[in-house]
Amino acid sequence: MTEPDLRYSEVEEDLRSSVRALLTARAGAGLWRELVGLGVTSLPVPEGLGGQGAGYREVAVVAEELGASVAPVPFLGSAVLATAALLHAGDTPEVRLALSGTPVLAVPLSSWGAVVGVRGLTGSIRSVADAAAADRFLVPADNGLYLVEAADVRVSPVPSLDETRPVADLEFSAAPGTRLAGLDAVRRALLVGAGILASEQVGVAQWCLDTTVAYVRQRVQFGRPVGSFQAVKHRLADLWQELVLARAAARNAADALTTGVDTAVAVSLAQSLCATVAVRAAEECVQLHGGIGMTWEHPAHRYLKRAKANEIALGTPGMHRATLAPLIDLLG
Amino acid sequence: MSEWTDRVAALVAAHDPATTDRAAFLRARFDAGLAWVHFPEGLGGLAAPREAQREVDAALSAAGAPDNDPRRIGIGLGMAAPTILAHGTADQRRRFLRPLWTGEEVWCQLFSEPGAGSDLAALATRARRDGDDWVVTGQKVWTSSAHNARWAILLGRTDPDVPKHAGLTYFVCDMTAPGVDVRPLRQITGEAEFNEVFLSEVRVPDTDRLGDVGDGWRVARTTLMNERVAIGGRPVPREGGMVGVVARTWRDNPDRRTPDLHDRLVALWVRAEALRLAGIRLRTGSPGPEGSAMKLAFAGIAQALSGLEVELLAEDGLRYDDWTERRPAHVDYLGRGAGYRYLRAKGNSIEGGTSEILRTIIAERVLGLPAEPRADKDLPWKDLPR
Ligand SMILES: Cc1cc2nc3c(=O)[nH]c(=O)nc-3n(C[C@H](O)[C@H](O)[C@H](O)COP(=O)(O)OP(=O)(O)OC[C@H]3O[C@@H](n4cnc5c(N)ncnc54)[C@H](O)[C@@H]3O)c2cc1C
C-alpha cells in the first residue's frame, strides 16, 4: 500500500486562507450566500455540472475552517451530504436542478448504517440538520432516494442542542417526488459526511485548544499565569497530542474519500477518534476558563454544543468501532 | 524504475548479495550512498529526500540483500549518528559513521546518572582537561546495551562553577578504554538489558569531543529530539508494532473474547493506526518538539495494548516464559511472551524522557505556555542542593 498524502497542499492552504478571511469579515445572514459565491459549497461537483471540480480533500479543509468558527451555515446538510448523494445519483436534469439550489438530505443527523426513510412519501423524519435552509429535500423512501420540493414538506424547527446547526422535524403526506437513485446514494452520502465531519471536529478542537492556551497564558492567580501550573500544562499537552492523532486520521479520511482507497476503514477510524477529541477539547476549554467558561457570553459553549452534537452525528464513536471491527479482521 | 532502483541495481550487480560477505556488502552499500539516503554524499547518503529510503530498502530486500539489523544498533542509528552528523568534525564523521551504520561498532548512551535523570543537566560526571586528553570520572546508570558497545556518547561536566546547562561538554567515549567498568542491572522483565557504568579516570582524547567545550547541552538536545522520534515515530506498516502482536493474539483466541476487551482493542487499534498516520505526516521534516507527541502517544498505546493482551490470555496470562537473567543482544519491545511485553512496555514512558517531562516540553515549546518557576537555573552547579 502506498502512503497516503496527509499534508496540506499549497492550493489547500490558499483555500483555507480565503475561507478564513471570509469567516472573519462576515457573519450572519449573508454568509452562506458569500460562501456559495466563493465556490466552496460546490467543490466536489464536476465543472460540467456547474461545480469546481475539486475533491474531498478541499471540502475537508473548508469543513475545518467552518468548524473552527462554528459557522451557522448548512454546509454539512447541503454541500456535503446532499451533494454526495446527488453526485452518486448520476447526471440527470433533476440532479442538475437540485445541485443549482440548496438541497438537504432528509435523514436524522444521527444516522449511520441502515436508513429507513418513509413509505409512499408519507410520514415523518426527525432531527434533520440544516432543514430550514432547504429549497428541496432528498428523501429516502420505498428503497430509493426521492427529490421533493421543500414547499411540499412541513418543516418544524425544534430547539436544538447545537443552535449553530439546528435540526428540524419533517412531515410528509403523500408528497410529490421524483426518484433519483437507490439507497446506496444515501449510504455514500453518510460515508462522505462522516469522513468530512472528522475535519470539522478537528477544526472545533483546534479552536478550543488555541483559545484555552491563550487564556491560561494571561489569566493570573496565585501570582502567576494559571498556564504555568503543571496540572494545567499537562492536560493541554495531552489534548495537543490527541489533536495530532485526530488531524492525521481526519486528513487520512479526506484523502481516502478522494482516492477511493480503503475508504470505509479511513472514515470509521477518523470518526471513532475525532468525535471524542473534539468533545474533550471543548470540555477542557470550558473547565480551564473557570466561571467565564460557563457564561452564555463566552463563545466556548457554542463549541461544546457543536462538539457534543457532532459526537452523535453520523454515527457515535462506538458505532464506528463496530463498523470498523470486521473491516480490520478484529471480530468480537 | 527510478533513480533509486537503478542505483540499487548497480550495487547489487557489483556485489552479489548471494556471494558477498555480509559486512562487505553493507560497507559497499554505505559507500554507494544507499545507507541513509538523506545523509550527505560520502557519508552513506546522497543528500536525497528521506522518503526515497523506502524505495531503496524495498528494492534491496527484493534483491535478497542483508540489512544492518537496525534493532541491534538503535542507539547508534537513532541518536549517535544524527548528533555526529550535526555537530561532528569532518574527521569524526568519516571515522564513526560507516562502522556505526554497518553495525560493526555498537553504540550506547552514557547520559543518565543516579543523581540526574529527568534533570539531566544536573549530572555530576566530571571531565578535567589534561594535555590533549580529558580525564573522566563518574557513574552512569540505566545504560542500555553498554555490554555490547564499542563506543558511547557521553555527557560530562567540564565546569562546575557556572549554571548547570552551561558547564557541560559532549564526548565520544571508547568503551574499551581503561577505567570503563560495565556492570549488569537486572530489570523487571528479569533481563539485564541495561547497566551501570563506572568511569574511573578514563582518558578521552580531545579529538573525541563533539561540539565546543561548554556547549554540551545544545549537542545533547539534538540527541534527545532524535531519540524521541526514534522511539515513537518509526515508519511501520499498518499493524507493524505492538498492535499487530496483540491483534494476532486476539485472532488466535476466539474463545477468550469479551465485549469489553473487544471495544477496548478496536479503540486502541484506532489510536495505533492514527499514531502511525501522524508519523507519516511528521516524517517529512527534521525532528522538532512534535516528536515528543509521538513518543508520548506511543508509550501510552503500547502500555494499554500489552496490558490488554495479558488480560485476554486469562489463565495463560498468569504465567511467564522465563525469569532467567539474560543479556539480550538488542532492545526488544515485541518479543517473547505477553508478560514480557507488558513489563517491558513500562519502560516506554520512562526511557528517553518520562511522559511527564514530555508533557512539559510540549506545553512549553509547542504550546508556548509559561515555564514553571525554577530556582536552580541561574545558580552555579556546585551550589545546587543534591
Ligand atoms: C529501559 C530503560 C532504558 C534506559 N536507557 C538509557 C540509556 O541507554 N542511556 C541513558 O543515559 N539513560 C537511559 N535510561 C534512563 C532514562 O532516561 C531515565 O530513567 C529517565 O530520564 C528518568 O530519570 P530517573 O530515572 O532519574 O527518574 P526521575 O527523574 O527521578 O523521575 C522520577 C519521577 O518523577 C517525575 N518527574 C521528575 N521531574 C519532574 C518534573 N519536573 N515534573 C513532573 N514530574 C517529574 C518523573 O516523570 C518520574 O515519574 C533508561 C531508562 C529505562 C527505564
Side-chain angles (χ1 to χ4, degrees), chain B residues 249 252-253 255-256 306-323 336-342:
Chain B
T249 304
D252 292 345
N253 286 276
D255 303 346
R256 288 173 160 159
S306 58
L308 187 141
E309 191 188 16
V310 173
E311 276 179 77
L312 169 65
L313 288 174
E315 69 271 22
D316 287 323
L318 297 171
R319 299 156 185 263
Y320 196 75
D321 63 344
D322 180 10
W323 289 114
R336 295 183 49 179
Y340 170 86
R341 286 190 282 277
Y342 169 70

mmCIF file of all heavy atoms in Angstrom, chain B residues 249 252-253 255-256 306-323 336-342:
data_model
loop_
_atom_site.group_PDB
_atom_site.id
_atom_site.type_symbol
_atom_site.label_atom_id
_atom_site.label_comp_id
_atom_site.label_asym_id
_atom_site.label_seq_id
_atom_site.Cartn_x
_atom_site.Cartn_y
_atom_site.Cartn_z
ATOM 1 N N THR B 249 -2.877 -12.155 18.641
ATOM 2 C CA THR B 249 -3.326 -12.924 19.812
ATOM 3 C C THR B 249 -4.853 -12.966 19.845
ATOM 4 O O THR B 249 -5.456 -14.000 20.123
ATOM 5 C CB THR B 249 -2.787 -12.285 21.112
ATOM 6 O OG1 THR B 249 -1.363 -12.201 21.003
ATOM 7 C CG2 THR B 249 -3.148 -13.111 22.326
ATOM 8 N N ASP B 252 -6.161 -15.345 17.277
ATOM 9 C CA ASP B 252 -5.863 -16.736 17.604
ATOM 10 C C ASP B 252 -6.662 -17.253 18.794
ATOM 11 O O ASP B 252 -6.559 -18.427 19.135
ATOM 12 C CB ASP B 252 -4.359 -16.892 17.929
ATOM 13 C CG ASP B 252 -3.494 -16.674 16.705
ATOM 14 O OD1 ASP B 252 -4.054 -16.698 15.588
ATOM 15 O OD2 ASP B 252 -2.275 -16.462 16.867
ATOM 16 N N ASN B 253 -7.398 -16.379 19.469
ATOM 17 C CA ASN B 253 -8.073 -16.791 20.707
ATOM 18 C C ASN B 253 -9.559 -16.443 20.704
ATOM 19 O O ASN B 253 -10.027 -15.687 21.569
ATOM 20 C CB ASN B 253 -7.393 -16.133 21.921
ATOM 21 C CG ASN B 253 -6.064 -16.771 22.244
ATOM 22 O OD1 ASN B 253 -6.012 -17.796 22.928
ATOM 23 N ND2 ASN B 253 -4.988 -16.187 21.730
ATOM 24 N N ASP B 255 -12.085 -17.984 21.711
ATOM 25 C CA ASP B 255 -12.845 -18.382 22.901
ATOM 26 C C ASP B 255 -12.691 -17.402 24.054
ATOM 27 O O ASP B 255 -13.445 -17.449 25.014
ATOM 28 C CB ASP B 255 -12.368 -19.753 23.417
ATOM 29 C CG ASP B 255 -12.474 -20.802 22.334
ATOM 30 O OD1 ASP B 255 -13.159 -20.518 21.323
ATOM 31 O OD2 ASP B 255 -11.846 -21.864 22.484
ATOM 32 N N ARG B 256 -11.680 -16.577 23.989
ATOM 33 C CA ARG B 256 -11.389 -15.718 25.133
ATOM 34 C C ARG B 256 -11.926 -14.303 24.956
ATOM 35 O O ARG B 256 -11.720 -13.444 25.816
ATOM 36 C CB ARG B 256 -9.880 -15.663 25.360
ATOM 37 C CG ARG B 256 -9.367 -16.968 25.928
ATOM 38 C CD ARG B 256 -7.873 -16.996 25.993
ATOM 39 N NE ARG B 256 -7.440 -18.021 26.945
ATOM 40 C CZ ARG B 256 -6.241 -18.572 26.937
ATOM 41 N NH1 ARG B 256 -5.353 -18.232 26.026
ATOM 42 N NH2 ARG B 256 -5.920 -19.485 27.829
ATOM 43 N N SER B 306 -0.430 -3.857 25.584
ATOM 44 C CA SER B 306 0.232 -5.016 26.171
ATOM 45 C C SER B 306 -0.478 -5.449 27.452
ATOM 46 O O SER B 306 -0.534 -6.642 27.773
ATOM 47 C CB SER B 306 1.714 -4.715 26.428
ATOM 48 O OG SER B 306 1.850 -3.605 27.285
ATOM 49 N N GLY B 307 -1.077 -4.488 28.158
ATOM 50 C CA GLY B 307 -1.865 -4.838 29.334
ATOM 51 C C GLY B 307 -3.113 -5.615 28.949
ATOM 52 O O GLY B 307 -3.484 -6.606 29.585
ATOM 53 N N LEU B 308 -3.734 -5.179 27.860
ATOM 54 C CA LEU B 308 -4.937 -5.847 27.373
ATOM 55 C C LEU B 308 -4.628 -7.287 26.941
ATOM 56 O O LEU B 308 -5.410 -8.207 27.180
ATOM 57 C CB LEU B 308 -5.515 -5.046 26.208
ATOM 58 C CG LEU B 308 -6.866 -5.489 25.677
ATOM 59 C CD1 LEU B 308 -7.711 -4.272 25.324
ATOM 60 C CD2 LEU B 308 -6.734 -6.359 24.439
ATOM 61 N N GLU B 309 -3.453 -7.482 26.364
ATOM 62 C CA GLU B 309 -3.098 -8.826 25.904
ATOM 63 C C GLU B 309 -3.002 -9.802 27.087
ATOM 64 O O GLU B 309 -3.475 -10.937 27.005
ATOM 65 C CB GLU B 309 -1.771 -8.804 25.126
ATOM 66 C CG GLU B 309 -1.505 -10.126 24.412
ATOM 67 C CD GLU B 309 -0.110 -10.201 23.790
ATOM 68 O OE1 GLU B 309 0.760 -9.391 24.147
ATOM 69 O OE2 GLU B 309 0.096 -11.105 22.961
ATOM 70 N N VAL B 310 -2.405 -9.341 28.181
ATOM 71 C CA VAL B 310 -2.301 -10.211 29.367
ATOM 72 C C VAL B 310 -3.697 -10.573 29.874
ATOM 73 O O VAL B 310 -3.984 -11.734 30.183
ATOM 74 C CB VAL B 310 -1.472 -9.521 30.473
ATOM 75 C CG1 VAL B 310 -1.499 -10.334 31.767
ATOM 76 C CG2 VAL B 310 -0.028 -9.319 30.018
ATOM 77 N N GLU B 311 -4.599 -9.594 29.915
ATOM 78 C CA GLU B 311 -5.974 -9.869 30.347
ATOM 79 C C GLU B 311 -6.648 -10.871 29.434
ATOM 80 O O GLU B 311 -7.333 -11.782 29.884
ATOM 81 C CB GLU B 311 -6.794 -8.582 30.295
ATOM 82 C CG GLU B 311 -6.684 -7.682 31.505
ATOM 83 C CD GLU B 311 -7.536 -6.447 31.284
ATOM 84 O OE1 GLU B 311 -8.771 -6.513 31.423
ATOM 85 O OE2 GLU B 311 -6.958 -5.400 30.948
ATOM 86 N N LEU B 312 -6.469 -10.657 28.136
ATOM 87 C CA LEU B 312 -7.106 -11.532 27.153
ATOM 88 C C LEU B 312 -6.660 -12.984 27.347
ATOM 89 O O LEU B 312 -7.452 -13.908 27.189
ATOM 90 C CB LEU B 312 -6.747 -11.041 25.736
ATOM 91 C CG LEU B 312 -7.091 -11.947 24.562
ATOM 92 C CD1 LEU B 312 -8.603 -12.110 24.438
ATOM 93 C CD2 LEU B 312 -6.538 -11.369 23.258
ATOM 94 N N LEU B 313 -5.416 -13.174 27.711
ATOM 95 C CA LEU B 313 -4.885 -14.531 27.803
ATOM 96 C C LEU B 313 -5.343 -15.268 29.058
ATOM 97 O O LEU B 313 -5.057 -16.462 29.219
ATOM 98 C CB LEU B 313 -3.353 -14.501 27.734
ATOM 99 C CG LEU B 313 -2.838 -14.175 26.335
ATOM 100 C CD1 LEU B 313 -1.336 -14.003 26.335
ATOM 101 C CD2 LEU B 313 -3.260 -15.263 25.339
ATOM 102 N N ALA B 314 -6.031 -14.585 29.938
ATOM 103 C CA ALA B 314 -6.652 -15.200 31.113
ATOM 104 C C ALA B 314 -5.680 -16.119 31.843
ATOM 105 O O ALA B 314 -4.618 -15.660 32.249
ATOM 106 C CB ALA B 314 -7.927 -15.933 30.694
ATOM 107 N N GLU B 315 -5.968 -17.415 31.967
ATOM 108 C CA GLU B 315 -5.091 -18.246 32.803
ATOM 109 C C GLU B 315 -3.678 -18.321 32.238
ATOM 110 O O GLU B 315 -2.710 -18.467 32.994
ATOM 111 C CB GLU B 315 -5.679 -19.643 33.051
ATOM 112 C CG GLU B 315 -5.742 -20.564 31.861
ATOM 113 C CD GLU B 315 -7.057 -20.414 31.088
ATOM 114 O OE1 GLU B 315 -7.706 -19.352 31.200
ATOM 115 O OE2 GLU B 315 -7.410 -21.364 30.363
ATOM 116 N N ASP B 316 -3.528 -18.166 30.950
ATOM 117 C CA ASP B 316 -2.162 -18.131 30.409
ATOM 118 C C ASP B 316 -1.475 -16.807 30.714
ATOM 119 O O ASP B 316 -0.246 -16.715 30.674
ATOM 120 C CB ASP B 316 -2.183 -18.392 28.899
ATOM 121 C CG ASP B 316 -2.483 -19.851 28.609
ATOM 122 O OD1 ASP B 316 -1.991 -20.711 29.378
ATOM 123 O OD2 ASP B 316 -3.223 -20.140 27.648
ATOM 124 N N GLY B 317 -2.284 -15.788 30.994
ATOM 125 C CA GLY B 317 -1.724 -14.504 31.398
ATOM 126 C C GLY B 317 -1.087 -14.562 32.777
ATOM 127 O O GLY B 317 -0.333 -13.669 33.156
ATOM 128 N N LEU B 318 -1.382 -15.627 33.499
ATOM 129 C CA LEU B 318 -0.807 -15.786 34.839
ATOM 130 C C LEU B 318 0.610 -16.333 34.795
ATOM 131 O O LEU B 318 1.291 -16.377 35.805
ATOM 132 C CB LEU B 318 -1.675 -16.742 35.675
ATOM 133 C CG LEU B 318 -3.101 -16.269 35.944
ATOM 134 C CD1 LEU B 318 -3.922 -17.377 36.567
ATOM 135 C CD2 LEU B 318 -3.073 -15.046 36.863
ATOM 136 N N ARG B 319 1.028 -16.808 33.623
ATOM 137 C CA ARG B 319 2.345 -17.448 33.522
ATOM 138 C C ARG B 319 3.352 -16.499 32.888
ATOM 139 O O ARG B 319 2.978 -15.550 32.228
ATOM 140 C CB ARG B 319 2.240 -18.696 32.632
ATOM 141 C CG ARG B 319 1.301 -19.722 33.181
ATOM 142 C CD ARG B 319 0.793 -20.601 32.053
ATOM 143 N NE ARG B 319 -0.202 -21.536 32.541
ATOM 144 C CZ ARG B 319 0.065 -22.797 32.883
ATOM 145 N NH1 ARG B 319 1.273 -23.278 32.744
ATOM 146 N NH2 ARG B 319 -0.888 -23.577 33.350
ATOM 147 N N TYR B 320 4.620 -16.803 33.076
ATOM 148 C CA TYR B 320 5.697 -16.008 32.480
ATOM 149 C C TYR B 320 6.653 -16.965 31.797
ATOM 150 O O TYR B 320 6.860 -18.082 32.287
ATOM 151 C CB TYR B 320 6.427 -15.210 33.579
ATOM 152 C CG TYR B 320 7.278 -14.082 33.026
ATOM 153 C CD1 TYR B 320 6.689 -12.916 32.567
ATOM 154 C CD2 TYR B 320 8.661 -14.201 32.961
ATOM 155 C CE1 TYR B 320 7.463 -11.885 32.054
ATOM 156 C CE2 TYR B 320 9.436 -13.171 32.458
ATOM 157 C CZ TYR B 320 8.833 -12.012 32.007
ATOM 158 O OH TYR B 320 9.594 -10.995 31.497
ATOM 159 N N ASP B 321 7.229 -16.557 30.668
ATOM 160 C CA ASP B 321 8.013 -17.556 29.920
ATOM 161 C C ASP B 321 9.304 -17.950 30.625
ATOM 162 O O ASP B 321 9.636 -19.136 30.707
ATOM 163 C CB ASP B 321 8.262 -17.104 28.464
ATOM 164 C CG ASP B 321 9.080 -15.826 28.371
ATOM 165 O OD1 ASP B 321 9.211 -15.110 29.387
ATOM 166 O OD2 ASP B 321 9.595 -15.525 27.272
ATOM 167 N N ASP B 322 10.014 -16.976 31.219
ATOM 168 C CA ASP B 322 11.349 -17.323 31.716
ATOM 169 C C ASP B 322 11.927 -16.123 32.467
ATOM 170 O O ASP B 322 12.043 -15.042 31.900
ATOM 171 C CB ASP B 322 12.232 -17.656 30.495
ATOM 172 C CG ASP B 322 13.646 -18.036 30.894
ATOM 173 O OD1 ASP B 322 13.897 -18.218 32.102
ATOM 174 O OD2 ASP B 322 14.503 -18.150 29.988
ATOM 175 N N TRP B 323 12.289 -16.352 33.733
ATOM 176 C CA TRP B 323 12.834 -15.247 34.527
ATOM 177 C C TRP B 323 14.366 -15.220 34.527
ATOM 178 O O TRP B 323 14.978 -14.444 35.260
ATOM 179 C CB TRP B 323 12.342 -15.316 35.976
ATOM 180 C CG TRP B 323 10.888 -14.993 36.161
ATOM 181 C CD1 TRP B 323 9.915 -15.844 36.580
ATOM 182 C CD2 TRP B 323 10.232 -13.736 35.936
ATOM 183 N NE1 TRP B 323 8.692 -15.200 36.631
ATOM 184 C CE2 TRP B 323 8.867 -13.901 36.240
ATOM 185 C CE3 TRP B 323 10.670 -12.471 35.494
ATOM 186 C CZ2 TRP B 323 7.929 -12.866 36.132
ATOM 187 C CZ3 TRP B 323 9.737 -11.445 35.381
ATOM 188 C CH2 TRP B 323 8.385 -11.646 35.693
ATOM 189 N N ARG B 336 9.254 -12.362 22.802
ATOM 190 C CA ARG B 336 8.908 -13.245 23.920
ATOM 191 C C ARG B 336 7.399 -13.307 24.158
ATOM 192 O O ARG B 336 6.606 -13.329 23.230
ATOM 193 C CB ARG B 336 9.677 -12.805 25.165
ATOM 194 C CG ARG B 336 11.184 -12.989 24.970
ATOM 195 C CD ARG B 336 12.006 -12.644 26.174
ATOM 196 N NE ARG B 336 11.498 -13.273 27.401
ATOM 197 C CZ ARG B 336 12.066 -13.142 28.586
ATOM 198 N NH1 ARG B 336 13.170 -12.414 28.698
ATOM 199 N NH2 ARG B 336 11.563 -13.728 29.637
ATOM 200 N N GLY B 337 6.981 -13.367 25.440
ATOM 201 C CA GLY B 337 5.564 -13.570 25.729
ATOM 202 C C GLY B 337 4.851 -12.295 26.112
ATOM 203 O O GLY B 337 5.454 -11.225 26.240
ATOM 204 N N ALA B 338 3.533 -12.444 26.332
ATOM 205 C CA ALA B 338 2.712 -11.278 26.674
ATOM 206 C C ALA B 338 3.185 -10.643 27.983
ATOM 207 O O ALA B 338 3.192 -9.418 28.114
ATOM 208 C CB ALA B 338 1.249 -11.686 26.780
ATOM 209 N N GLY B 339 3.565 -11.462 28.945
ATOM 210 C CA GLY B 339 4.012 -10.931 30.233
ATOM 211 C C GLY B 339 5.258 -10.080 30.069
ATOM 212 O O GLY B 339 5.373 -8.991 30.638
ATOM 213 N N TYR B 340 6.192 -10.578 29.273
ATOM 214 C CA TYR B 340 7.403 -9.800 28.997
ATOM 215 C C TYR B 340 7.043 -8.477 28.338
ATOM 216 O O TYR B 340 7.518 -7.401 28.724
ATOM 217 C CB TYR B 340 8.371 -10.582 28.092
ATOM 218 C CG TYR B 340 9.506 -9.724 27.583
ATOM 219 C CD1 TYR B 340 10.658 -9.544 28.341
ATOM 220 C CD2 TYR B 340 9.409 -9.040 26.372
ATOM 221 C CE1 TYR B 340 11.686 -8.718 27.903
ATOM 222 C CE2 TYR B 340 10.425 -8.216 25.920
ATOM 223 C CZ TYR B 340 11.557 -8.056 26.682
ATOM 224 O OH TYR B 340 12.568 -7.238 26.263
ATOM 225 N N ARG B 341 6.195 -8.532 27.322
ATOM 226 C CA ARG B 341 5.844 -7.303 26.594
ATOM 227 C C ARG B 341 5.196 -6.277 27.530
ATOM 228 O O ARG B 341 5.467 -5.082 27.456
ATOM 229 C CB ARG B 341 4.878 -7.630 25.445
ATOM 230 C CG ARG B 341 5.555 -8.312 24.292
ATOM 231 C CD ARG B 341 4.632 -8.404 23.085
ATOM 232 N NE ARG B 341 3.650 -9.457 23.191
ATOM 233 C CZ ARG B 341 3.877 -10.731 22.883
ATOM 234 N NH1 ARG B 341 5.067 -11.113 22.449
ATOM 235 N NH2 ARG B 341 2.927 -11.635 22.988
ATOM 236 N N TYR B 342 4.319 -6.781 28.400
ATOM 237 C CA TYR B 342 3.640 -5.886 29.338
ATOM 238 C C TYR B 342 4.666 -5.193 30.239
ATOM 239 O O TYR B 342 4.620 -3.982 30.448
ATOM 240 C CB TYR B 342 2.648 -6.705 30.171
ATOM 241 C CG TYR B 342 2.066 -5.964 31.345
ATOM 242 C CD1 TYR B 342 1.170 -4.921 31.134
ATOM 243 C CD2 TYR B 342 2.416 -6.292 32.650
ATOM 244 C CE1 TYR B 342 0.640 -4.225 32.205
ATOM 245 C CE2 TYR B 342 1.891 -5.597 33.726
ATOM 246 C CZ TYR B 342 1.004 -4.562 33.497
ATOM 247 O OH TYR B 342 0.492 -3.870 34.553
#
